[in-house]
Amino acid sequence: MKKILFLAALILAALPTEAQQVKFTVNGISKSNGATVTLLNRQTRQQVATTVVANNKFTLSGTAEKDALLAVGQEGLDWATLFFNDGTPVTVNLNDSTLKGSSLNERLVSYDMAANAPLGNIERKIQNMSQEERENNKYELAGAMMVAVLKMGEQIEKIFTEENQTLIPAAFVGEYRDLNGSDKLDSLIATKPVWASHPLVQQQVKEWAYEKEQEALKNAFIGQQFTDLEEADVNGNMHKLSEYVGKGKWVLVDFWASWCGPCKAEMPNVVAAYEKYHDKGFDIVGLSFDNKKEPWLKAIDELKMPWIHLSDLKGWKTVASGVYSVNSIPDNLLIDPQGQIVARGLRAQALHTQLEEIFGE
């Protein structure tokens, strides 16, 4: 879970204070009477307007920033229909995700549907299969998924080639970066195409730069000797990290919290690693980012975590956050028997792979 306060402040500070407001009108049809339809701003991630389908119709109206990328979605549907707030009214059919409006927005929706169709077809096929069918066809499905990703990549590349001097690529910058890497995207942005100046793109670039900076700070610890700190155990007794680290065992220093959903989802994997390798010289020290003792202790018990647990119960202000530049959890450090940090952020299979290299099967 992200520690987002600083990032949010950074982004908001960079936003224009007097963005031009343009009226939007969305007329739509849907077969889902009584369903809630919501209009979201993709940049601010905020709800712009909402209504309810009645007599198979709905209308949304109001104002938003000029050329803001807006998304019309309906409860119960995974798909949202995009359009730029260019001042031209749009008509949206939520039954088939089509849109009528300006030429720009009609092309945007057409590109969006074409880019996502290959993966969507595979996902629907998988959803209609039984668990046994999925297992029996897992290699075929994996191959089909790879082909679908390649086809999606071709469609995204087409967008950035054909629409380079329009706003349309701004809606697909994240996908382009995921498929082609940040270096290629940076090279495109350096040519100063029209879409690169869109506020959504500028915001994403700032977010990625911040994340890259934080990742570099984290990785800087790898290869370094651990830094000692002191926190209380579950009984309130103070302990130094050096009591457990650098004493001849491999130690995973695990940053987590009882309120962190991804941490709790990952914990059975961590428990399995502990049970498999503990007798071979592997230990864990949990450093919690909790604020309250009761939920911390309850989570330790419920998740059956039999290792050392420490916390100063200061949430994100915990000493561990400052010492090890922890800005998101779950996170962890793998420290060798001499106290040197050798890896960070080991999750899922990556944790087991690393430990298998150290201890063997």
Side-chain angles (χ1 to χ4, degrees), residues 37-53:
V37 177
T38 303
L39 185 66
L40 294 178
N41 185 317
R42 278 292 177 88
Q43 178 188 342
T44 64
R45 303 179 180 98
Q46 293 181 339
Q47 181 175 294
V48 178
T50 184
T51 190
V52 175
V53 179

Side-chain angles (χ1 to χ4, degrees), residues 144-353:
M145 190 70 73
M146 288 294 295
V147 172
V149 170
L150 291 174
K151 289 182 177 179
M152 181 181 187
E154 292 172 358
Q155 289 294 327
I156 297 296
E157 195 70 42
K158 180 180 179 182
I159 293 169
F160 279 76
T161 300
E162 296 181 347
E163 299 288 346
N164 193 46
Q165 294 306 316
T166 75
L167 293 179
I168 288 176
F172 302 95
V173 166
E175 288 86 346
Y176 187 92
R177 183 175 183 265
D178 290 342
L179 291 165
N180 297 287
S182 58
D183 289 344
K184 190 172 180 180
L185 176 61
D186 290 343
S187 296
L188 270 184
I189 291 176
T191 66
K192 298 183 179 180
V194 170
W195 54 267
S197 62
H198 192 278
L200 175 59
V201 177
Q202 295 295 308
Q203 173 180 308
Q204 288 178 305
V205 168
K206 287 183 173 65
E207 288 179 353
W208 292 329
Y210 176 78
E211 290 173 0
K212 187 175 182 180
E213 177 185 330
Q214 295 303 308
E215 194 65 24
L217 286 173
K218 288 183 177 183
N219 289 336
F221 288 92
I222 297 175
Q224 303 298 314
Q225 198 71 6
F226 83 97
T227 300
D228 207 3
L229 56 81
E230 189 175 30
E231 294 186 350
D233 65 15
V234 296
N235 296 313
N237 300 314
M238 300 300 294
H239 292 275
K240 290 185 176 182
L241 190 59
S242 55
E243 293 177 38
Y244 315 103
V245 175
K247 301 296 185 182
K249 288 188 175 183
W250 285 86
V251 179
L252 186 76
V253 177
D254 190 40
F255 306 111
W256 74 290
S258 67
W259 46 259
C260 169
C263 299
K264 295 168 78 171
E266 173 68 9
M267 206 55 70
N269 182 62
V270 180
V271 171
Y274 180 85
E275 292 176 346
K276 184 173 183 178
Y277 296 106
H278 178 62
D279 290 342
K280 297 182 178 183
F282 174 62
D283 217 335
I284 299 176
V285 177
L287 298 184
S288 170
F289 281 53
D290 275 278
N291 291 286
K292 297 181 179 180
K293 188 172 184 178
E294 291 75 14
W296 174 43
L297 299 183
K298 182 179 179 182
I300 292 171
D301 180 60
E302 290 180 345
L303 295 169
K304 303 186 186 307
M305 302 154 64
W307 47 82
I308 299 296
H309 291 278
L310 305 176
S311 181
D312 53 17
L313 299 176
K314 293 182 179 179
W316 283 110
K317 294 182 180 179
T318 176
V319 63
S321 177
V323 169
Y324 288 109
S325 297
V326 182
N327 69 323
S328 63
I329 52 176
D331 193 5
N332 56 49
L333 304 170
L334 182 62
I335 304 177
D336 73 10
Q338 291 73 47
Q340 186 177 88
I341 300 169
V342 299
R344 182 163 193 168
L346 296 172
R347 298 177 64 180
Q349 184 58 41
L351 174 60
H352 290 265
T353 299

Side-chain angles (χ1 to χ4, degrees), residues 45-180:
R45 303 179 180 98
Q46 293 181 339
Q47 181 175 294
V48 178
T50 184
T51 190
V52 175
V53 179
N55 298 318
N56 299 323
K57 297 179 180 180
F58 65 89
T59 298
L60 296 160
S61 62
T63 61
E65 292 82 3
K66 177 175 171 54
D67 293 327
L69 183 62
L70 305 180
V72 185
Q74 177 184 288
E75 61 177 321
L77 294 180
D78 294 330
W79 186 263
T81 302
L82 304 177
F83 70 93
F84 289 104
N85 188 32
D86 58 8
T88 301
V90 299
T91 300
V92 176
N93 184 339
L94 293 182
N95 300 322
D96 61 11
S97 303
T98 57
L99 175 146
K100 295 293 183 181
S102 66
S103 174
L104 179 79
N105 281 323
E106 289 182 6
R107 297 200 312 277
L108 168 64
V109 171
S110 178
Y111 281 123
D112 196 18
M113 294 178 70
N116 285 279
L119 278 175
N121 291 337
I122 296 297
E123 290 171 354
R124 282 188 290 274
K125 181 179 179 179
I126 293 173
Q127 288 173 355
N128 291 326
M129 297 173 71
S130 66
Q131 187 62 41
E132 182 179 1
E133 288 174 321
R134 294 176 189 176
E135 180 63 27
N136 292 338
N137 295 279
K138 60 183 179 182
Y139 298 113
E140 176 189 338
L141 292 172
M145 190 70 73
M146 288 294 295
V147 172
V149 170
L150 291 174
K151 289 182 177 179
M152 181 181 187
E154 292 172 358
Q155 289 294 327
I156 297 296
E157 195 70 42
K158 180 180 179 182
I159 293 169
F160 279 76
T161 300
E162 296 181 347
E163 299 288 346
N164 193 46
Q165 294 306 316
T166 75
L167 293 179
I168 288 176
F172 302 95
V173 166
E175 288 86 346
Y176 187 92
R177 183 175 183 265
D178 290 342
L179 291 165
N180 297 287

